[in-house]
């Protein structure tokens, strides 16, 4: 190792150990290991600069080869291979399998992005991108979130696990200069292929990083506990879901809404089934299938990857964004399942303050109005992502220490934990009279807050005028919603000390309604202290900090009421009957700072993010008619016998009584 390389290694180590990074490990555990590790190998190369032309660099330093790799059933998959021109040493292979095109096509054309991050460009890897079965230039039939086959009886029984295995076997045998080890990675849909590919893995597959992976489309992306995420699903499938009659290098055109106002567009459409009649015309096969399967029946159950994550041998680093509007359930669930079903396998979790894929596509220093005080994406790439692959594919350095690496989105600092969720007490925060939110258990024999929910005037999910699902809504100021009469608000007084919530949050609502169906949305909010004005003199304009009184959404979730007890057997509400609805809000790591307030908002519409519930129980909610959409009065109860609450996992808190 040269002096310059050694200096760089030490610099990266020091950056990894800076005080802002708290490691929640036993006192005897090493916090930071020497990045040179057991072997004196080359240190990680610095990242390519923003101004550097990646395509030109690749053309100058790599050779490109396009091949058609045969699968065991005879289907050929289009694959692009980028090999370093320097043949003085061997390199591991980094494979990405994607339904989103491994363009540009042609052996004389090079992409503007390659590998997990720009740091990898000069670190010494063979990069391989592949169009999955049935996508773009590959042969075969494309099947959305292709079900895994637990039992295979012959070469015709194929899934994404077998396609990954066959691809790796071919690459190891036919790619000159490889060192016999393969890494697999991908974000979002490619993250699903990475997760599926580590089941019954080829022996050469040594490291896998599913990033924002899909695990189960009943909880990821298009459904959240049965509630249908309308603009996200419609906009995606209106283009991606169009039939591909033959291999092609061309993308389908995006849907033209004719307006940037998604709220008005989807409201004007009317019942959801009208999208089919007015815009899709039966041309999108998967949309048609979704509408025929409104419940979590076998169609959805067989697309759940989690039950199959039992034979995972490679090292795993699952990555996700704490503000990912698309795939938050996936990374958390895949990490937990691999941990539970594969004891002894290296398996870590990384969750930063990112939207969907933000660790790769942004600097990670802010999301919307909220700044995090550091370029968290670069920190992750340098401290965690590259060292993970360097160690397991090259034997260089030590793997990331700590089981779980999460960014505290309130304290603005990384923390490492020996387990996730970490050991924590629980703190129940009860809804009270007069918007109160407190740890005091209600004693009153009666009490509720009521609001009218009108499908004709649904609560918007964002102030932004957008035809889609802007990622910034995940941290957006919620004052616009708090001021509506159909949103209930509960908040604490200013906190006397910091409160760190670490782990899965769940709301328990006791509700009653005049209707027979309803959605229930719960938001966990950090209310920043009020602004103070500043001016030079009496006649000067007084200006205030935009963040004064800001209601930062920390987490939000929705449950479609018909699925409150069973995802596959929906049931109506009995009008007027008090009923429990649990709303899992998934995991957070957020410190509510001293002087801030903790707020909960409850509502029943969230439009057009979630399609409108008619509030009348019908067998297939996707086929509801205009006459089924009715105004209803909802009550959230807060009496002793029906105490609505939010359960928070709090570091340093005492355990709470188990929910009855």
């Amino acid at each position: 190792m040269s002096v310059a390389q050694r200096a760089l290694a030490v610099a990266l180590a020091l950056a990894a150990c800076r005080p802002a990074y708290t490691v929640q490990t036993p006192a005897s555990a090493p916090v930071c290991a020497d990045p040179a590790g057991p072997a004196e190998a080359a240190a990680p190369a610095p990242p390519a600069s923003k101004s550097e032309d990646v395509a030109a660099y690749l053309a100058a330093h790599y050779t490109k080869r396009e091949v058609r790799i045969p699968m065991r059933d005879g289907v050929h998959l289009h694959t692009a291979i980028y090999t370093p021109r320097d043949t003085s040493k061997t390199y591991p292979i980094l494979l990405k399998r994607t339904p989103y095109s491994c363009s540009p096509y042609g052996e004389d054309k090079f992409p503007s992005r390659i590998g997990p991050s720009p740091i990898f460009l000069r670190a010494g890897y063979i990069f391989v991108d592949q169009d999955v079965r049935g996508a773009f230039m590959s042969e075969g039939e494309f099947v959305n979130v292709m079900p895994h086959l637990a039992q295979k009886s012959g070469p015709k029984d194929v899934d994404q696990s077998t396609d990954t295995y066959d691809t790796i076997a071919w690459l190891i045998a036919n790619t000159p200069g490889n060192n016999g080890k393969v890494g697999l990675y991908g974000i979002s849909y490619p993250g699903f292929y990475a997760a599926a590919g580590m089941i019954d893995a080829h022996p050469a597959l040594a490291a896998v990083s599913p990033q924002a992976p899909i695990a189960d489309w009943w909880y990821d992306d298009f459904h959240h506990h049965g509630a249908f995420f309308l603009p996200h699903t419609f906009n995606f499938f209106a283009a991606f879901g169009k039939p591909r009659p033959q291999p092609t290098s061309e993308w389908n055109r995006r849907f033209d809404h004719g307006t940037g106002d998604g709220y008005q567009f989807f409201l004007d459409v009317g019942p959801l089934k009208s999208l089919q009649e007015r815009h899709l015309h039966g041309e999108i096969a998967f949309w048609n299938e979704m509408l025929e399967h409104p419940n979590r029946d076998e169609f959805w159950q067989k697309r759940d990857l989690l039950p199959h994550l039992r034979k995972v041998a490679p090292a795993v680093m699952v990555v996700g964004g704490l503000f990912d509007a698309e795939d938050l359930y996936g990374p958390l669930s895949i990490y937990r399942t691999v941990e539970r079903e594969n004891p002894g396998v290296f398996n870590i979790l990384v969750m930063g303050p990112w939207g969907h894929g933000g660790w790769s596509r942004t600097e990670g220093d802010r999301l919307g109005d909220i700044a995090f005080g550091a370029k968290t994406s670069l920190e992750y790439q340098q401290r965690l992502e590259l060292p993970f692959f360097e160690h397991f594919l090259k034997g260089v350095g030590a793997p990331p220490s700590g089981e779980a690496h999460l960014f505290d989105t309130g304290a603005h600092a990384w923390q490492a934990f020996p387990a996730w969720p970490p050991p924590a007490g629980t703190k129940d925060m009860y809804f009270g009279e007069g918007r109160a939110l407190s740890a005091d258990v209600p004693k009153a024999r009666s009490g509720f807050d009521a609001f009218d929910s009108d499908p004709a005037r649904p609560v918007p999910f964002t102030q932004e005028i957008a035809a889609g699902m802007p990622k910034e809504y995940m941290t957006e100021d919620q004052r616009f919603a708090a001021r509506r009469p159909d949103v209930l608000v509960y908040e604490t007084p200013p906190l006397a000390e910091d409160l760190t919530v670490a782990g899965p949050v769940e709301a328990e609502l006791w509700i009653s309604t005049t209707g027979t169906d309803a959605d229930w949305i719960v938001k966990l909010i950090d209310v920043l202290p009020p602004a103070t004005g500043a001016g030079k003199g009496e006649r000067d304009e007084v200006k205030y900090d935009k963040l004064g009184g800001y209601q930062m959404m920390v987490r939000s979730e929705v449950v479609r009421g018909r699925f409150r007890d069973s995802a596959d057997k929906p049931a109506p509400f009995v009008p007027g009957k008090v009923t429990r609805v649990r709303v899992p809000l998934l995991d957070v790591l957020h410190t509510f700072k001293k002087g801030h307030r903790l707020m909960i908002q409850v509502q029943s519409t969230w439009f057009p993010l979630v399609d409108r519930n008619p509030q009348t129980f019908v067998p297939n909610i996707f086929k509801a008619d205009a006459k089924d959409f009715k105004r209803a009065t909802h009550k959230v109860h807060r009496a002793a016998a029906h105490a609505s609450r939010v359960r928070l996992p709090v570091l340093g808190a005492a355990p709470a009584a188990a929910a009855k």
Side-chain angles (χ1 to χ4, degrees):
M1 178 183 287
S2 69
V3 173
Q5 290 171 332
R6 185 70 183 179
L8 176 61
V10 173
L12 290 179
L14 291 174
C17 297
R18 74 191 197 288
Y21 196 98
T22 304
V23 182
Q24 301 289 338
T25 56
S28 59
V31 175
C32 291
D34 181 348
E40 284 271 327
S49 67
K50 285 185 177 180
S51 61
E52 182 171 24
D53 188 329
V54 172
Y57 186 91
L58 282 169
H61 297 87
Y62 287 76
T63 58
K64 181 181 180 182
R65 185 164 58 122
E66 292 187 337
V67 298
R68 297 170 68 247
I69 297 180
M71 301 293 103
R72 63 190 64 184
D73 64 343
V75 168
H76 291 76
L77 305 187
H78 180 91
T79 309
I81 304 171
Y82 302 85
T83 305
R85 293 182 182 272
D86 179 2
T87 59
S88 64
K89 53 187 174 181
T90 59
Y91 305 91
I93 294 169
L94 268 180
L95 170 63
K96 181 180 75 174
R97 307 185 64 245
T98 179
Y100 298 141
S101 171
C102 63
S103 61
Y105 298 98
E107 294 190 341
D108 61 338
K109 294 181 173 60
F110 293 84
S112 59
R113 295 176 59 91
I114 197 77
S117 81
I119 299 178
F120 286 78
L121 186 63
R122 286 176 275 171
Y125 287 87
I126 297 169
F127 299 107
V128 178
D129 290 350
Q130 182 180 76
D131 289 335
V132 297
R133 178 181 294 258
F136 287 89
M137 292 299 292
S138 285
E139 297 174 352
E141 177 188 4
F142 181 79
V143 178
N144 273 295
V145 284
M146 188 177 191
H148 180 82
L149 300 177
Q151 301 294 328
K152 300 177 178 68
S153 58
K156 295 298 182 182
D157 290 340
V158 295
D159 54 26
Q160 296 306 333
S161 172
T162 64
D163 281 359
T164 305
Y165 190 104
D166 295 348
T167 297
I168 291 174
W170 190 97
L171 289 170
I172 291 295
N174 296 279
T175 306
N178 80 80
N179 73 353
K181 291 188 177 182
V182 177
L184 180 64
Y185 73 99
I187 297 173
S188 193
Y189 220 147
F192 162 79
Y193 294 112
M198 65 188 184
I199 304 169
D200 296 321
H202 189 282
L205 183 58
V208 182
S209 183
Q211 303 184 2
I214 299 162
D216 180 346
W217 260 352
W218 190 255
Y219 301 103
D220 280 313
D221 279 310
F222 308 131
H223 295 88
H224 285 224
H225 304 282
F228 192 61
F229 269 42
L230 177 56
H232 182 47
T233 312
F234 175 80
N235 295 349
F236 179 77
F237 281 111
F240 182 81
K242 290 180 179 177
R244 186 206 68 156
Q246 60 187 4
T248 178
S249 61
E250 299 298 321
W251 281 83
N252 294 324
R253 294 188 62 182
R254 291 186 177 183
F255 180 82
D256 182 3
H257 299 78
T259 175
D261 189 345
Y263 185 100
Q264 197 63 49
F265 171 82
F266 288 107
L267 194 63
D268 290 345
V269 164
L272 185 139
K273 67 177 185 178
S274 298
L275 285 168
Q276 183 78 284
E277 301 162 2
R278 296 172 59 175
H279 297 293
L280 299 181
H281 312 297
E283 297 175 354
I284 309 300
F286 198 76
W287 180 273
N288 301 339
E289 290 179 300
M290 282 193 296
L291 267 58
E292 293 300 324
H293 297 276
N295 310 325
R296 194 177 184 272
D297 56 14
E298 184 184 4
F299 176 81
W300 296 110
Q301 291 169 13
K302 69 182 182 180
R303 285 172 164 77
D304 181 359
L305 189 64
L306 299 178
H308 306 290
L309 294 173
R310 295 173 179 164
K311 298 179 181 179
V312 176
V316 180
M317 181 176 70
V318 183
V319 182
L322 288 164
F323 297 122
D324 189 340
E326 300 178 39
D327 297 298
L328 180 60
Y329 173 87
L332 291 167
S333 300
I334 286 175
Y335 161 74
R336 285 192 176 110
T337 304
V338 171
E339 191 73 8
R340 182 180 65 249
E341 300 294 336
N342 303 272
V345 167
F346 182 92
N347 176 47
I348 64 173
L349 175 69
V350 181
M351 300 289 289
W354 306 306
H356 192 61
W359 52 95
S360 174
R361 301 162 186 164
T362 73
E363 292 186 337
D365 59 332
R366 67 183 310 115
L367 184 63
D369 294 322
I370 304 301
F372 302 114
K375 295 181 178 180
T376 62
S377 298
L378 185 58
E379 292 175 340
Y380 149 75
Q381 293 162 13
Q382 291 178 337
R383 185 185 304 116
L384 299 170
E385 187 175 46
L386 183 60
F388 171 76
F389 284 112
E390 289 280 293
H391 176 78
F392 288 106
L393 300 184
K394 297 180 182 178
V396 174
S401 61
E403 176 75 13
H405 302 256
L406 285 87
F407 188 86
D408 187 321
T409 54
H412 298 173
W414 286 98
Q415 290 199 54
F417 299 90
W420 187 265
T426 50
K427 191 177 186 70
D428 287 338
M429 303 298 291
Y430 293 92
F431 302 174
E433 187 176 2
R435 296 171 49 117
L437 182 68
S438 76
D440 296 334
V441 179
K443 297 179 180 179
R445 299 183 63 180
S446 63
F448 61 81
D449 296 299
F451 64 96
D452 290 338
S453 177
D454 186 356
R457 296 190 67 254
V459 179
F461 79 99
T462 178
Q463 298 178 91
E464 186 174 339
I465 302 300
M469 181 177 66
K471 61 183 182 297
E472 293 82 5
Y473 96 85
M474 293 288 283
T475 60
E476 190 174 3
D477 189 351
Q478 297 299 303
R479 281 178 284 197
F480 75 96
R483 291 164 179 162
R484 285 186 56 122
D486 46 0
V487 176
L488 300 181
V489 177
Y490 304 92
E491 65 178 333
T492 67
L495 298 175
E497 58 184 14
D498 291 356
L499 178 74
T500 299
V501 179
V505 175
E506 183 179 75
E508 181 183 68
L509 306 181
W510 289 93
I511 65 91
S512 58
T513 175
T514 59
T516 51
D517 199 1
D519 292 343
W520 295 97
I521 297 101
V522 177
K523 306 173 191 171
L524 175 66
I525 295 167
D526 185 347
V527 183
L528 279 57
T532 55
K536 294 180 180 179
E538 292 183 3
R539 297 181 180 273
D540 293 325
E541 179 185 359
V542 178
K543 296 183 179 180
Y544 296 90
D545 180 1
K546 179 180 181 180
L547 296 181
Y550 193 97
Q551 296 178 7
M552 173 190 171
M553 193 162 73
V554 174
R555 176 70 75 247
S556 53
E557 258 302 349
V558 55
V559 165
R560 181 138 283 174
R562 60 175 52 214
F563 300 118
R564 63 193 178 276
D565 295 322
S566 172
D568 59 333
K569 296 178 181 178
F573 288 107
V574 177
K577 181 180 179 181
V578 179
T579 306
R580 181 171 64 178
V581 177
R582 294 176 183 264
V583 184
L585 275 74
L586 297 178
D587 300 39
V588 303
L589 177 60
H590 188 89
T591 295
F592 293 82
K593 304 291 286 184
K594 177 181 177 181
H596 291 217
R597 296 172 184 260
L598 193 154
M599 175 184 285
I600 299 295
Q601 291 182 4
V602 180
Q603 58 199 68
S604 284
T605 52
W606 211 17
F607 193 74
L609 184 69
V610 173
D611 71 314
R612 295 176 300 150
N613 190 317
Q615 303 187 143
T616 302
F617 186 88
V618 293
N620 186 336
I621 198 168
F622 295 143
K623 297 183 178 181
D625 294 317
K627 63 180 176 57
D628 297 318
F629 288 77
K630 297 179 180 178
R631 186 180 181 126
T633 298
H634 301 325
K635 295 179 180 179
V636 174
H637 295 262
R638 45 178 171 74
H642 301 113
S644 295
R645 62 182 173 180
V646 172
R647 173 156 286 188
L648 305 174
V650 175
L651 292 182
K660 296 180 180 180

